[in-house]
Amino acid sequence: MFLNLKDIILLLHPILACTFIFPVIGITTFFALQTRQRRLKETTSIPATVGHLHMKLGNLLAAGVIGITLVALAYSVVFGFQGFLMQAENNTLQPLSVVLVALMFIVTIAATALLYRAQSKRWRAVFATLSGMGVIILAFQPGVFRRDDEWWVSHFYFGLAAVMLMIFSVAIVREIYQDRSLTWRRIHIGLNSLALILFLLQGITGTRDLLEIPLSWQAPVVYQCNFDPRSPQFKTCP
């Protein structure tokens, strides 16, 4: 095998997605349908616990999505193209940037953890905002593979949208159960249906991107190629 520690860390994100995130998506979706059927009284054979299980699995799914996103971003800002290691090799690395990025990871993780524990609407809004801002700031650091020229088929942008939806879903859980007008429940259903579509697109675009991100022993050659779409030598290599 031509895998070193860097390559194994690179594969953590897709491994966690395949072995944890996508199975939990399937189970959460199943319980969501069961909960809706019971609420609409389409069948009496569904136990009353499905709603509670759906909520617990939904919270677990959101935490998992945020977690594997941070894993991918941590790899990218350190090992990615123009990331910290490459900056160090080129003598352009600024220690202050490393400290600030590390602090941003800590703040984002802390804000997400506090979001799950917050009781009042105000604090849930505060921690959801901090968590979302932290992910966005980290996502646009050097080294992160974004595919800006093809954002409409970008694993990065689909994933970023899915993370924001997961954070918002956790923030409004209490409103869903307290709102007698069912407005928040309808918002929850609509946004998480969109999230389900985004997760399916993530499976497609993530598989494609794995073919384009080189392993460590391939990187020195691949990164000599021209990736500027404005250049006449676009997609040519020495």
Side-chain angles (χ1 to χ4, degrees), residues 7-87:
D7 298 327
I8 293 172
I9 297 174
L10 166 65
L11 293 175
L12 273 180
H13 177 78
I15 288 171
L16 291 171
C18 293
T19 60
F20 177 73
I21 297 299
F22 283 104
V24 175
I25 289 172
I27 299 169
T28 305
T29 303
F30 172 78
F31 278 116
L33 295 174
Q34 292 273 290
T35 302
R36 182 162 178 77
Q37 286 179 345
R38 178 178 173 80
R39 188 178 300 113
L40 298 177
K41 299 181 179 179
E42 294 180 0
T43 176
T44 58
S45 62
I46 299 175
T49 56
V50 293
H52 182 65
L53 288 171
H54 170 61
M55 183 186 71
K56 289 181 66 176
L57 284 166
N59 285 335
L60 179 64
L61 173 61
V65 170
I66 298 168
I68 70 163
T69 300
L70 292 177
V71 167
L73 293 176
Y75 172 87
S76 299
V77 298
V78 175
F79 297 106
F81 181 64
Q82 296 182 347
F84 287 157
L85 287 183
M86 185 171 289
Q87 292 175 36

